[in-house]
Amino acid sequence: MKAQIKQLETKIDLAVKDRRLKQQDVRNLIDEYFNILINLLNEINGYEENSEMHNYEKCPLNFDDRIHYIEGRKYHYMGYEQLKTMMKEVLKLKAIYNLKNK
């Protein structure tokens, strides 16, 4: 999972550097990255993978405001940066979740 996330970040970061965020192939990568984030949150909160977003009990601070910002600006630089930041926070939550469930 982490390798897939890192690979997506690398590809998207290259597209950011080349100012290609609005191209369809890059949008697909961002959508995949976003779906991984949602699937991780679903897993942490006990929902089925690949289901829609829910009212999460365990989520990063200001989740609702931030996720609405990301959804509205997912293919813009600042929206993607917010998505990356939230991914780091969710990965930390996932690590805590894994430790508690061992």
Side-chain angles (χ1 to χ4, degrees), residues 83-96:
L83 180 59
K84 271 179 43 175
T85 302
M86 190 178 290
M87 180 66 82
K88 290 175 187 171
E89 295 172 19
V90 169
L91 287 172
K92 289 176 187 175
L93 286 173
K94 175 81 167 112
I96 293 168

Side-chain angles (χ1 to χ4, degrees), residues 23-35:
Q23 291 183 354
Q24 189 59 46
D25 61 328
V26 179
R27 285 181 176 216
N28 293 340
L29 294 173
I30 293 172
D31 287 338
E32 185 178 345
Y33 191 77
F34 182 79
N35 289 335

Side-chain angles (χ1 to χ4, degrees), residues 15-27:
V16 166
K17 187 177 178 183
D18 295 340
R19 299 180 187 258
R20 297 183 303 117
L21 274 180
K22 298 199 178 189
Q23 291 183 354
Q24 189 59 46
D25 61 328
V26 179
R27 285 181 176 216

